[in-house]
Amino acid sequence: MNLWGQLQRSKMKYVLIGILFILLICGIKYDITRVEKNELRKEEEISRIEDYFKKDFEIYKILSWIERSPINTKVFKLQKYIYLLQTEEDKKRTILSGVPYWPFASRKEAVRYYAKLPEEERDWYMVISQSLVYIAYATEEERILLKEAAEYFNKQYGCLD
């Protein structure tokens, strides 16, 4: 093989490596942007739920270093809860009492996680707006409030489960 052909092949290798590097950087940037948008949507969802439950519940974020028992579910992301919906009585009892709550970036994502739950566990959860709420710990009064919230958001977004 001649020298010119070898130079052409080595140049092509560098061009391909350069293109792959550019694609990798673009993919990482896209992923970071997507994660930031999802976090913003979750914050908006928390704010929406907080506005709806002004008098009834307060949202409390469980810090990562606080030891907590996992919820007994087979869906990995839901095994450890991050937020609690707390009433005044919950706050008086203990800092970690209340109704576990997971905000998601979209209603579609919340419904997808609800659908992943085993059939016997679905009665323990409720989709409210773009969130999943664990109602097994809720009192009857709290369940009524949560059911009203689910109906309100279903009407507002035109979603009926």
Side-chain angles (χ1 to χ4, degrees):
M1 187 170 283
N2 64 18
L3 185 60
W4 180 251
Q6 288 177 345
L7 286 173
Q8 289 294 84
R9 259 193 262 151
S10 65
K11 283 182 183 178
M12 282 301 287
K13 287 180 188 176
Y14 289 119
V15 169
L16 287 175
I17 290 171
I19 290 171
L20 289 174
F21 182 73
I22 290 170
L23 289 174
L24 178 67
I25 296 297
C26 290
I28 290 171
K29 184 174 170 83
Y30 171 77
D31 197 44
I32 289 171
T33 303
R34 188 177 52 83
V35 168
E36 288 173 349
K37 284 181 182 177
N38 283 349
E39 287 303 313
L40 181 63
R41 288 185 193 132
K42 285 180 187 177
E43 289 174 16
E44 290 170 353
E45 171 65 4
I46 291 168
S47 177
R48 187 174 20 257
I49 294 293
E50 212 165 35
D51 287 346
Y52 181 83
F53 287 120
K54 285 180 192 167
K55 297 173 273 178
D56 302 315
F57 292 106
E58 185 178 316
I59 296 177
Y60 177 76
K61 182 174 182 171
I62 299 175
L63 302 173
S64 61
W65 53 267
I66 296 177
E67 188 173 330
R68 56 199 181 270
S69 61
I71 289 178
N72 188 19
T73 185
K74 294 179 176 123
V75 178
F76 178 73
K77 189 169 184 176
L78 303 181
Q79 287 177 347
K80 296 198 181 272
Y81 46 91
I82 300 170
Y83 295 91
L84 289 173
L85 294 174
Q86 291 186 319
T87 62
E88 286 299 320
E89 294 85 32
D90 291 332
K91 284 191 258 176
K92 290 176 187 173
R93 264 187 299 207
T94 174
I95 207 166
L96 293 178
S97 62
V99 180
Y101 156 74
W102 298 266
F104 291 97
S106 69
R107 181 173 178 84
K108 184 177 178 180
E109 187 180 6
V111 170
R112 189 176 77 230
Y113 274 96
Y114 180 79
K116 285 181 181 181
L117 293 166
E119 195 66 39
E120 64 273 4
E121 289 183 25
R122 289 190 185 157
D123 291 341
W124 304 343
Y125 294 84
M126 183 181 297
V127 177
I128 299 176
S129 183
Q130 296 174 198
S131 302
L132 203 55
V133 180
Y134 186 74
I135 60 171
Y137 293 159
T139 65
E140 192 58 37
E141 182 181 302
E142 291 170 341
R143 285 181 191 209
I144 291 169
L145 291 170
L146 294 168
K147 187 172 183 143
E148 289 172 359
E151 290 170 1
Y152 169 80
F153 285 109
N154 283 343
K155 288 178 186 173
Q156 184 176 356
Y157 296 117
C159 303
L160 295 173
D161 293 327

